[in-house]
């Protein structure tokens, strides 16, 4: 898709943290022409020129997730909202943080990003789904996978507290890492 962008048409940017990586969504809106352009990770995924209706929705895909930008009239201006899987970005982030665990270990001087999708028990290592092997251990379960040439384990144990639920720990080369909460820019 081609056609030059007019400076000043970029009206919103969001960083979306998904298991397969951190994606940047940019939205351009020509408020005189109605032009709409959506880019994901600097690749244009949607372009509409000369739209007569200045408000509405534009649907697209980020990673494997359905997304849309909602354009809402607010007096003399516009408001832009990103929705993912039918949820506002804030609701999606809240649900995503509850259903995933993320680790950002530095192994051998190299930064890594490991994401466990709890409901699917899928592990993403540096943006790619990892081949895993799960087994029961003395105190819970262990999910084994390879992180490059290193063997890695995600240990899952009960916290002993119903409200707190399960605890997850990443172990690489005998070193334990606790999950972090990635707070996406909203």
């Amino acid at each position: 898709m081609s056609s030059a962008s007019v400076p000043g048409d970029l009206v919103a940017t969001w960083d979306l943290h998904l298991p397969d990586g951190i994606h940047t969504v940019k939205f351009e809106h020509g408020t005189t022409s109605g032009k709409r352009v959506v880019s994901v990770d600097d690749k244009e995924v949607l372009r509409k020129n000369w739209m007569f209706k200045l408000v509405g929705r534009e649907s697209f895909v980020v990673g494997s997730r359905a997304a849309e930008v909602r354009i809402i009239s607010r007096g003399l201006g516009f408001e832009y909202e990103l929705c993912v899987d039918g949820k506002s970005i804030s609701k999606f982030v809240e649900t995503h943080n509850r259903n995933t665990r993320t680790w950002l270990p530095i192994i051998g001087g190299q930064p890594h990003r490991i994401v466990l999708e709890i409901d699917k028990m899928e592990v993403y290592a540096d943006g790619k789904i990892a081949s895993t092997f799960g087994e029961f251990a003395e105190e819970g379960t262990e999910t084994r996978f390879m992180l490059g040439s290193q063997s890695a384990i995600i240990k899952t144990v009960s916290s002993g507290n119903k409200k707190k639920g399960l605890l997850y720990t990443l172990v690489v080369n005998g070193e334990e890492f606790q999950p972090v909460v990635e707070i996406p820019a909203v």
Side-chain angles (χ1 to χ4, degrees), residues 60-167:
F60 55 100
V61 175
V62 179
S64 62
R65 309 289 182 146
E68 74 177 14
V69 173
R70 294 180 183 165
I71 308 160
I72 304 157
S73 176
R74 293 283 187 237
L76 297 174
F78 296 93
E79 185 176 297
Y80 306 94
E81 180 179 50
L82 178 65
C83 297
V84 181
D85 290 342
K87 299 175 185 154
S88 68
I89 188 69
S90 58
K91 192 61 146 168
F92 174 79
V93 167
E94 180 184 313
T95 302
H96 179 75
N97 285 342
R98 187 173 45 248
N99 296 327
T100 62
R101 294 297 177 272
T102 302
W103 295 268
L104 302 171
I106 297 175
I107 310 295
Q110 295 295 313
H112 296 278
R113 182 172 183 265
I114 311 303
V115 179
L116 169 66
E117 280 193 294
I118 296 169
D119 55 343
K120 298 178 187 176
M121 289 306 293
E122 290 182 339
V123 176
Y124 288 79
D126 298 328
K128 295 184 174 101
I129 196 156
S131 177
T132 61
F133 174 75
E135 61 186 354
F136 291 104
E138 285 182 35
E139 297 179 4
T141 63
E142 294 182 351
T143 304
R144 299 175 181 274
F145 63 100
M146 295 302 291
L147 182 58
S149 62
Q150 307 290 321
S151 177
I153 303 168
I154 295 176
K155 293 184 176 185
T156 306
V157 298
S158 172
S159 66
N161 180 327
K162 190 174 183 179
K163 284 187 178 185
K164 202 171 189 182
L166 299 173
L167 301 175

Side-chain angles (χ1 to χ4, degrees), residues 25-27 36-40 43-46 60 69:
V25 177
K26 294 181 181 176
F27 183 63
R36 301 171 188 183
V37 178
V38 176
S39 299
V40 177
K43 293 183 185 128
E44 192 173 294
V45 297
L46 181 138
F60 55 100
V69 173

